[in-house]
Amino acid sequence: EPEVTQTPSHQVTQMGQEVILRCVPISNHLYFYWYRQILGQKVEFLVSFYNNEISEKSEIFDDQFSVERPDGSNFTLKIRSTKLEDSAMYFCASSRDRGEDEQYFGPGTRLTVT
Amino acid sequence: AQSVAQPEDQVNVAEGNPLTVKCTYSVSGNPYLFWYVQYPNRGLQFLLKYITGDNLVKGSYGFEAEFNKSQTSFHLKKPSALVSDSALYFCAVSPGSGGYSTLTFGKGTMLLVSP
């Protein structure tokens, strides 16, 4: 069964450093998403991406964040200058279509900012 | 703005007994509703969804959920719980037809099934 994969599983970085989180969505999916879950809190939507552009983004997704699909398989989330409060589990998801189609989630990348 | 409430942090049930995990939502229009499950160190796995039609939807691993528009609820149920069902369960809502796919999640309910 196809699945969404994410690398690395755990990333430790110092405050102010740039990080790139990588995801490989399911191959025939067209919509891609990033969510995050701060320890003990809800899973929160960050951004959705379709046809090489952002479809929707939340208030969390400020200028420090960017997404890219650099090739036909990878989908990345970049945080330009990490802050302590960026420490969280980051989940990538993909779906064939929007709306009715369920999103399939990767196992997550745990980002720890020190 | 849409929101999801899962009023129970934890649900305890004995193996073989029926289980219910509660979810209520607030969203304008006709939403799409989802249940996901998360096992330790794993991503969220899709269980089932309600889009339209029959209010009772069936999903993976014997789970089902009942959509109740008047009570704005979408409770997850299973007739006979298994120890292996122990996990964290998330209810989620998206705006429905014509809207984006943004999922808004509840805070999650830990289900513990005792042998």
Side-chain angles (χ1 to χ4, degrees):
Chain A
E1 185 176 330
E3 57 183 19
V4 177
T5 59
Q6 290 185 243
T7 54
S9 57
H10 192 189
Q11 173 91 47
V12 181
T13 189
Q14 289 190 327
M15 194 167 50
Q17 296 296 304
E18 174 183 287
V19 294
I20 298 176
L21 309 183
R22 290 181 168 80
C23 167
V24 179
I26 294 173
S27 61
N28 64 345
H29 286 187
L30 301 177
Y31 290 81
F32 314 115
Y33 314 85
W34 283 101
Y35 293 82
R36 79 172 185 189
Q37 185 180 31
I38 296 172
L39 189 63
Q41 298 187 25
K42 292 183 181 184
V43 176
E44 302 172 291
F45 167 77
L46 293 178
V47 66
S48 61
F49 191 85
Y50 169 71
N51 199 26
N52 280 321
E53 60 182 28
I54 290 174
S55 300
E56 192 176 15
K57 60 183 181 180
S58 71
E59 293 176 352
I60 303 167
F61 194 86
D62 61 23
D63 292 343
Q64 293 296 314
F65 293 89
S66 63
V67 289
E68 191 179 26
R69 187 154 163 84
D71 52 43
S73 59
N74 290 284
F75 179 51
T76 62
L77 174 69
K78 181 192 290 185
I79 309 175
R80 270 180 261 283
S81 178
T82 50
K83 298 174 279 194
L84 293 176
E85 54 264 38
D86 293 328
S87 294
M89 181 73 88
Y90 288 80
F91 293 106
C92 174
S94 68
S95 64
R96 284 183 306 166
D97 200 348
R98 70 180 193 185
E100 292 187 12
D101 279 353
E102 58 272 21
Q103 296 175 26
Y104 289 83
F105 285 75
T109 292
R110 179 165 297 285
L111 176 65
T112 302
V113 182
T114 62
Chain B
Q2 55 195 35
S3 65
V4 176
Q6 292 181 244
E8 304 150 318
D9 291 334
Q10 186 168 303
V11 169
N12 297 296
V13 64
E15 189 173 34
N17 283 357
L19 70 88
T20 299
V21 182
K22 295 179 181 176
C23 170
T24 59
Y25 65 91
S26 173
V27 65
S28 57
N30 297 311
Y32 297 153
L33 295 155
F34 302 83
W35 276 100
Y36 284 84
V37 60
Q38 186 179 32
Y39 296 98
N41 302 315
R42 302 283 297 275
L44 285 78
Q45 289 180 240
F46 168 74
L47 274 181
L48 51 78
K49 64 182 178 184
Y50 173 81
I51 303 300
T52 188
D54 193 349
N55 289 342
L56 184 66
V57 292
K58 295 185 184 297
S60 307
Y61 313 120
F63 284 93
E64 57 190 29
E66 186 166 12
F67 171 66
N68 187 318
K69 188 170 184 177
S70 62
Q71 296 185 3
T72 61
S73 67
F74 189 56
H75 300 331
L76 181 70
K77 301 181 180 185
K78 188 173 182 181
S80 178
L82 299 173
V83 172
S84 57
D85 292 331
S86 298
L88 187 58
Y89 289 81
F90 291 94
C91 181
V93 63
S94 74
S97 59
Y100 289 102
S101 306
T102 306
L103 287 176
T104 298
F105 285 87
K107 63 180 174 59
T109 298
M110 179 64 72
L111 173 67
L112 293 176
V113 182
S114 56

